[in-house]
Amino acid sequence: MAVSKLKIGVLGSGSGSNMQSIVDAIAAKMLCAEVKLVLSDVQDAKILDRAKRHGIPCQWLDCAPFKTKLEGVAEERCIQLLRDYGCDTIVLAGFMRIVKQELLNAFPNRVLNIHPALLPSFKGIAAWKQALEYGVKWAGCTVHFVDAGTDSGPIIIQRPVPVLDDDTPETLHARIQVEEHKAFPEALRLLSEGRISFIGRRVYVK
Amino acid sequence: MAVSKLKIGVLGSGSGSNMQSIVDAIAAKMLCAEVKLVLSDVQDAKILDRAKRHGIPCQWLDCAPFKTKLEGVAEERCIQLLRDYGCDTIVLAGFMRIVKQELLNAFPNRVLNIHPALLPSFKGIAAWKQALEYGVKWAGCTVHFVDAGTDSGPIIIQRPVPVLDDDTPETLHARIQVEEHKAFPEALRLLSEGRISFIGRRVYVK
């Protein structure tokens, strides 16, 4: 099995706990990769503090004038930075913007996202809350390749999480995050080991 | 815990394997219930043969002129038959028609359906095939109360089923059915034990 070392660029907007799980998996030799760069669209996001603590290059990426997407000058700058730092795999780790075709074209089949639901259920914002309101008995998380849609790309890994009768949005979200922190490093490991192929929307693991 | 004996009316269109799982659970004393009547909209459906073998009253229910719903004269006749046989709980076991408000009004919060997907993903026909085509890693089944929508009512039980790389629609469907045959008797048991309540869409199990 030919393992290639992933050169990861992370885009995030929040605490960076998913980035942390990737950094931890690398440190534990569970994942052959290096996080080369962390970018955040939120100037004071904790993900930037975390990156600094681990000595990972990081920057605030000013995405104005857009509020919900990465486009235009910011997108160009993002792509340039990811290239400058030698990234070949882009990880959306709680990045609260839609990425557009330019970025996807720059890293074809190499942009991954994690979503806190068993897609295609509960796309979009606060999926765990949507799940509770709907009343499902199983929630979960999904790691998928990013395509031009929202939370719609080919699925690499899903991990189900039971919903409990006394769950609040907070408790359910916390249990989903535990599974996210397993799923994302695992999906990246499969990628680095060259074990992922796909036909149409269906992803196969060798 | 006050257990009440369910008087079940089954509506089905196919082989009746879900009805069989209910009959088996009753025979094994896992479920306090009696199947009082089986109705099928398909004249030569195997579910009618199965019912006969178990000595359960059964009838073909001519649903013409409608092809995809139970309405009008057939709906009235269905309700009358279910009442005549003393049914208090209606089980849709592979019934390939939309049931309408008259039936739901006649048995409020007492019409249950099983769907071969982790709803709200993959409503409608051949859900296991939709799941494979989408490329999810977890499929499953859902037992839910029936409401005026399609596969949209409050969820009682879900059981996840992993999708395998070499799954065909047939193999995945077969593995989902194994879980259906556990889920439906289990949901009915909760109902007979008076353990189900709900607030809005969210079903709670005591």
Side-chain angles (χ1 to χ4, degrees):
Chain A
M1 195 167 57
V3 176
S4 67
K5 187 170 182 175
L6 304 181
K7 293 162 198 145
I8 296 175
V10 176
L11 308 187
S13 308
S15 80
S17 69
N18 271 305
M19 182 204 70
Q20 187 71 54
S21 74
I22 293 165
V23 167
D24 292 347
I26 294 169
K29 313 270 187 212
M30 310 273 287
L31 169 61
C32 181
E34 184 181 349
V35 179
K36 293 284 199 181
L37 178 65
V38 174
L39 297 172
S40 177
D41 61 326
V42 176
Q43 196 165 7
D44 60 352
K46 284 193 184 153
I47 193 172
L48 294 175
D49 299 329
R50 266 194 220 258
K52 276 175 213 153
R53 278 207 301 278
H54 287 281
I56 301 166
C58 61
Q59 288 189 29
W60 170 49
L61 184 74
D62 185 357
C63 295
F66 304 112
K67 293 199 183 294
T68 59
K69 60 185 177 179
L70 175 61
E71 203 169 17
V73 175
E75 184 183 36
E76 281 168 35
R77 185 166 157 68
C78 179
I79 293 167
Q80 193 56 54
L81 280 166
L82 292 167
R83 284 187 169 142
D84 289 349
Y85 280 83
C87 303
D88 59 19
T89 305
I90 314 308
V91 161
L92 308 184
F95 188 59
M96 300 304 282
R97 287 174 184 268
I98 307 292
V99 300
K100 309 294 280 188
Q101 202 60 48
E102 290 292 305
L103 180 75
L104 301 179
N105 290 346
F107 302 95
N109 295 330
R110 281 285 179 164
V111 184
L112 277 69
N113 183 42
I114 192 155
H115 183 78
L118 292 178
L119 291 170
S121 289
F122 311 125
K123 296 176 179 183
I125 299 294
W128 60 91
K129 213 174 151 191
Q130 295 182 52
L132 266 190
E133 282 165 7
Y134 193 95
V136 292
K137 298 301 179 187
W138 287 86
C141 66
T142 302
V143 182
H144 63 92
F145 290 110
V146 177
D147 67 7
T150 301
D151 303 323
S152 61
I155 293 171
I156 304 168
I157 286 181
Q158 296 187 300
R159 293 182 74 100
V161 172
V163 178
L164 308 180
D165 271 6
D166 58 358
D167 261 331
T168 62
E170 293 70 30
T171 60
L172 179 58
H173 188 202
R175 284 209 318 290
I176 291 172
Q177 283 184 311
V178 171
E179 299 307 310
E180 289 184 26
H181 300 160
K182 296 173 194 165
F184 222 158
E186 170 70 6
L188 291 164
R189 189 173 63 78
L190 296 175
L191 199 65
S192 79
E193 292 173 356
R195 292 168 61 190
I196 294 178
S197 61
F198 48 106
I199 301 174
R201 296 190 48 83
R202 213 172 148 187
V203 175
Y204 297 88
V205 177
K206 268 195 289 245
Chain B
M1 196 168 57
V3 176
S4 67
K5 187 171 184 174
L6 304 181
K7 294 163 197 142
I8 296 175
V10 176
L11 308 188
S13 308
S15 81
S17 69
N18 271 307
M19 181 203 72
Q20 187 71 55
S21 74
I22 293 164
V23 168
D24 292 347
I26 293 168
K29 314 268 186 213
M30 308 273 287
L31 169 62
C32 181
E34 184 180 350
V35 180
K36 292 284 198 181
L37 178 64
V38 173
L39 297 173
S40 177
D41 60 327
V42 177
Q43 196 164 9
D44 60 352
K46 284 191 184 156
I47 192 170
L48 295 175
D49 299 329
R50 267 194 220 257
K52 276 176 213 153
R53 279 207 301 277
H54 288 280
I56 301 167
C58 61
Q59 287 190 31
W60 169 50
L61 185 74
D62 185 358
C63 295
F66 304 112
K67 293 201 182 292
T68 60
K69 59 185 178 178
L70 175 63
E71 203 168 16
V73 176
E75 183 184 35
E76 280 168 37
R77 184 166 158 67
C78 179
I79 293 167
Q80 193 56 55
L81 280 166
L82 291 167
R83 283 187 169 144
D84 288 349
Y85 281 82
C87 302
D88 59 20
T89 305
I90 314 308
V91 161
L92 308 185
F95 189 59
M96 301 305 282
R97 288 174 183 267
I98 306 292
V99 299
K100 309 294 281 187
Q101 202 60 49
E102 288 293 304
L103 180 74
L104 301 179
N105 291 346
F107 302 95
N109 296 330
R110 280 287 177 162
V111 183
L112 276 69
N113 183 41
I114 192 154
H115 184 77
L118 292 179
L119 289 171
S121 290
F122 312 125
K123 296 177 178 182
I125 300 292
W128 60 90
K129 213 174 151 190
Q130 296 182 51
L132 266 190
E133 282 164 7
Y134 193 94
V136 292
K137 298 302 178 186
W138 286 85
C141 66
T142 302
V143 182
H144 65 92
F145 290 109
V146 177
D147 67 8
T150 301
D151 303 323
S152 61
I155 293 172
I156 304 168
I157 285 181
Q158 295 186 301
R159 292 182 74 99
V161 173
V163 178
L164 308 179
D165 271 7
D166 58 357
D167 262 331
T168 61
E170 293 71 29
T171 60
L172 178 58
H173 188 202
R175 284 209 317 291
I176 291 172
Q177 283 184 312
V178 170
E179 298 307 310
E180 288 184 26
H181 300 160
K182 297 173 193 166
F184 221 157
E186 170 69 8
L188 290 164
R189 190 173 61 80
L190 296 175
L191 198 66
S192 80
E193 292 174 355
R195 292 168 60 192
I196 293 177
S197 61
F198 49 106
I199 301 173
R201 295 190 48 83
R202 212 171 149 187
V203 176
Y204 297 87
V205 177
K206 267 196 290 246

